[in-house]
Amino acid sequence: MTAAHPPITEADRAFHLRPEDHITREPNVQHFTWHITKGTIAPDGVEKQVFHINNQFPGPILEARSGDIFEIDVFNDSEEGVSLHWHGLYMRGFNHMDGPAGITQCEIPPGGNFTYRIPTDAQAGTFWYHAHSEVQRGDGLYGGLVVYDPPSPDNYSPQYDEELLLLIGDWYHASSAEVLSKFMSQTSLGLEPCPDSILINGLGYFQCSMAVPAAPVNCSEVQRPQFWLNKERRYRLRLVNVGSLTGFHFTIPDSEMAVLSVDGGQPIISNVSNSVGILYPAERVDLLLSWRESERSQDSEIIIQLDNEYFLHPNFALTSTQSFQILSSTHELKIINNLTDVTSFNLQTAKGPVLPEPVKEAEHKLLLYVVVEVLARELNIPKGFINHTTWERQQTPLISQPRDKWDKHQLVPWTGTKPVWVELTINNIDSIGHPFHLHGYDFYVISTYGGNGGWDYYNPFDSSKTPRGGPFNLVDPIRKDTVFVPPYGYAVLRFLADNEGIWALHCHIMWHQASGMSMALQVMGDKHTGLSNSVGGMAAGQFCKVNEMKL
């Protein structure tokens, strides 16, 4: 186990990373022991029951180099069943360690334990881990995960002096179970509950005077989080949206920022700006941050602006745009100049580098329609649907059962016995967007299109209609593992399905996923038995049997 990070002081909320501990060594197996507990803390001044890993919130930062393997003994000392997902890692050969309860594993029961084995293989980039059982991610069960790409000894010339990790997201003062219950009620009309606050690396600031009698809280005034940076240095900022509902813009007005990569280290073509967005839940972006010499003599600020797309049920206690001061370590305090023009880089229209050859044609096509609906047959309770199927978790995970044992709530198309190029079209019938994540893969985003409320969707099986969004980009598409599907529109994705397993595909807005907007893809395996006869399938089944009396 590597040395612990230095303590974070109240005057510096940045998580300082240590690539130097990893990039020059040989790959190895990193062993950790984690204890998951739950306790009352006040991250933004408001008390809430929050998950901890080894008494930390957010959980410990995992750092590695490509080729490392994590072995993590997880002891569940909480009163709820839990499971963990390693977001963005392929988990090749370890599908049963991927984490989604009901798909690849049973929950770790209270008092139980499970050892995760997590390969990084050749991957490098910004990842994260989070709960994939119930809605515990919204109660703090998450943390950062960074994998470094060791440089060649003869050409190592970094563009930056230091690396920082920022875990940013919306935050609810009520428990996630309460928020979900509010959403999945007959009176919600399918409108998502609005968050209460914003956290960066586990801390935020809430004005107690903004609390309303209808939602009483135990609140104490706290200091607004600050960041201590040397403006003469260049930083690699690794941003992760760990929120439950909404995207955000990230702005440092007096800075120069260039986007280096998105999601798990996927390259991107960018221009210099001082703001990036929108970064939706589960998406990541790496930035090169610097300041011109003329801007180094004053303190600065980070501005987080939550996107209001989902705020149809407003929360007047929420301050949706918040600033966090950057204290300069080399100069005396001067007044922040707020007159700088904001030049924003649009992540949703970004492209990747030109590929050596165009994206290959698809051998297998899948067509999906997604929506949150309020239906009489569902007692007017809002539920997420994909192709008329609303997902509900089976007690025994799919990976451990033959396909004829899967119930009507499991939408799991099969890609066949061999690796094939898959084209996946996700049509969004909703008036709001959905950030979709595919486990076990990243993919080329060859088209996205936001419609105008009519039938602006794309059907790859209807050759009489051309895509409303124009020709597909097969030359320089961006590559991601989480994609925003625009309202009344679609996203078309292509990837080589060669990683055997049953891989979850779902909206990463927590309330949509938990209400049923989830499914999976079976890659290879058997048409009838699925993955139940594989080593992973049998191991998952055995874990369930051992713990069935505890769940």
Side-chain angles (χ1 to χ4, degrees):
M1 181 173 174
T2 57
H5 280 262
I8 301 297
T9 68
E10 289 302 312
D12 185 8
R13 290 307 305 172
F15 288 159
H16 295 257
L17 300 175
R18 290 181 167 178
E20 64 275 9
D21 291 348
H22 304 278
I23 57 176
T24 59
R25 61 171 175 79
E26 292 298 312
N28 62 28
V29 178
Q30 296 197 51
H31 298 274
F32 298 93
T33 299
W34 285 0
H35 288 269
I36 296 177
T37 55
K38 203 174 186 182
T40 301
I41 59 173
D44 62 350
V46 177
E47 291 187 357
K48 177 177 177 175
Q49 281 272 305
V50 175
F51 280 97
H52 293 71
I53 301 177
N54 293 354
N55 297 317
Q56 297 180 49
F57 165 68
I61 301 171
L62 293 175
E63 295 182 73
R65 56 147 291 167
S66 296
D68 277 0
I69 296 173
F70 294 113
E71 282 195 354
I72 305 177
D73 295 320
V74 177
F75 290 84
N76 182 11
D77 298 330
S78 76
E79 297 179 356
E80 306 172 33
V82 300
S83 66
L84 296 173
H85 169 56
W86 319 95
H87 191 111
L89 291 178
Y90 299 150
M91 302 298 291
R92 190 177 294 273
F94 290 87
N95 185 212
H96 60 301
M97 302 282 181
D98 189 48
I103 296 179
T104 62
Q105 73 167 95
C106 285
E107 293 177 334
I108 308 169
N113 65 283
F114 182 77
T115 299
Y116 285 99
R117 186 174 176 88
I118 306 139
T120 63
D121 295 330
Q123 288 186 264
T126 302
F127 307 91
W128 63 304
Y129 62 87
H130 57 78
H132 219 297
S133 44
E134 306 301 336
V135 286
Q136 297 150 339
R137 172 166 56 92
D139 291 332
L141 191 46
Y142 64 79
L145 196 165
V146 177
V147 181
Y148 305 105
D149 186 12
S152 173
D154 57 354
N155 66 358
Y156 181 49
S157 180
Q159 299 173 270
Y160 41 86
D161 303 300
E162 192 173 349
E163 299 198 30
L164 307 175
L165 176 66
L166 299 181
L167 306 176
I168 305 172
D170 55 43
W171 184 250
Y172 291 82
H173 292 152
S175 72
S176 292
E178 291 177 86
V179 178
L180 179 61
S181 178
K182 184 177 180 180
F183 174 63
M184 294 186 69
S185 69
Q186 294 174 327
T187 59
S188 79
L189 302 177
L191 300 181
E192 297 79 8
C194 190
D196 300 293
S197 190
I198 300 170
L199 299 187
I200 302 183
N201 289 353
L203 282 185
Y205 174 79
F206 181 78
Q207 288 182 278
C208 297
S209 61
M210 297 294 289
V212 296
V217 294
N218 191 351
C219 183
S220 301
E221 298 291 342
V222 295
Q223 179 184 356
R224 191 184 300 269
Q226 299 173 325
F227 298 85
W228 192 279
L229 302 180
N230 184 339
K231 296 180 74 172
E232 295 180 356
R233 295 171 69 83
R234 296 166 300 172
Y235 293 92
R236 181 175 189 141
L237 292 186
R238 298 176 180 264
L239 310 184
V240 184
N241 186 336
V242 297
S244 301
L245 176 66
T246 190
F248 61 79
H249 283 89
F250 178 90
T251 305
I252 302 179
D254 63 344
S255 73
E256 291 185 341
M257 294 190 293
V259 178
L260 300 175
S261 62
V262 294
D263 289 1
Q266 304 300 334
I268 191 172
I269 304 300
S270 75
N271 52 274
V272 175
S273 63
N274 57 11
S275 178
V276 297
I278 298 170
L279 193 72
Y280 287 96
E283 292 186 316
R284 291 89 70 208
V285 63
D286 286 22
L287 309 170
L288 178 63
L289 171 67
S290 62
W291 284 269
R292 295 184 299 273
E293 187 171 353
S294 60
E295 302 289 350
R296 296 175 184 171
S297 60
Q298 65 178 13
D299 287 337
S300 186
E301 62 184 346
I302 293 172
I303 300 173
I304 306 298
Q305 180 183 2
L306 297 182
D307 180 53
N308 64 5
E309 176 180 356
Y310 307 99
F311 295 171
L312 301 178
H313 191 288
N315 178 357
F316 297 107
L318 170 67
T319 302
S320 60
T321 299
Q322 297 187 22
S323 61
F324 303 86
Q325 191 171 15
I326 298 175
L327 302 175
S328 172
S329 59
T330 57
H331 300 282
E332 296 181 2
L333 173 65
K334 292 187 179 181
I335 297 174
I336 297 173
N337 176 11
N338 288 314
L339 301 179
T340 307
D341 291 335
V342 172
T343 303
S344 184
F345 180 77
N346 187 349
L347 291 170
Q348 301 308 312
T349 59
K351 296 181 178 180
V354 175
L355 300 173
E357 59 182 36
V359 178
K360 293 187 180 298
E361 291 298 317
E363 304 162 87
H364 191 84
K365 295 184 178 182
L366 299 172
L367 174 61
L368 305 177
Y369 291 90
V370 304
V371 66
V372 173
E373 289 191 293
V374 180
L375 301 175
R377 72 170 188 264
E378 298 290 348
L379 305 179
N380 294 320
I381 294 173
K383 291 195 175 180
F385 287 87
I386 303 179
N387 288 8
H388 302 293
T389 300
T390 183
W391 184 81
E392 293 181 11
R393 188 177 78 192
Q394 291 195 177
Q395 186 67 31
T396 305
L398 304 185
I399 191 177
S400 67
Q401 294 185 310
R403 290 181 65 97
D404 62 5
K405 297 294 185 181
W406 302 353
D407 66 29
K408 64 179 182 179
H409 297 290
Q410 314 305 317
L411 176 61
V412 189
W414 181 48
T415 64
T417 58
K418 299 179 180 179
V420 291
W421 275 89
V422 171
E423 181 177 292
L424 174 62
T425 299
I426 305 175
N427 285 300
N428 179 9
I429 305 176
D430 266 331
S431 60
I432 55 174
H434 295 289
F436 261 77
H437 171 52
L438 175 60
H439 291 219
Y441 287 92
D442 44 49
F443 41 74
Y444 291 108
V445 183
I446 61 175
S447 184
T448 60
Y449 177 69
N452 298 311
W455 196 257
D456 291 330
Y457 313 117
Y458 169 62
N459 183 351
F461 302 107
D462 184 357
S463 59
S464 67
K465 296 181 181 179
T466 58
R468 292 288 183 92
F472 294 160
N473 178 8
L474 306 179
V475 177
D476 58 353
I478 195 170
R479 191 171 177 129
K480 297 175 86 339
D481 60 51
T482 307
V483 62
F484 178 73
V485 186
Y488 296 128
Y490 60 80
V492 184
L493 321 173
R494 277 196 198 160
F495 60 96
L496 177 61
D498 64 345
N499 186 10
E500 187 172 52
I502 300 176
W503 303 104
L505 172 68
H506 59 84
C507 178
H508 225 279
I509 292 175
M510 184 173 293
W511 322 124
H512 298 170
Q513 176 188 353
S515 65
M517 194 174 287
S518 184
M519 56 173 289
L521 302 180
Q522 181 187 323
V523 177
M524 297 187 285
D526 186 79
K527 182 178 181 179
H528 302 289
T529 61
L531 275 296
S532 60
N533 292 329
S534 68
V535 172
M538 291 186 286
Q542 181 62 26
F543 177 73
C544 295
K545 282 184 179 180
V546 170
N547 291 280
E548 62 184 350
M549 299 301 295
K550 300 179 182 179
L551 288 169

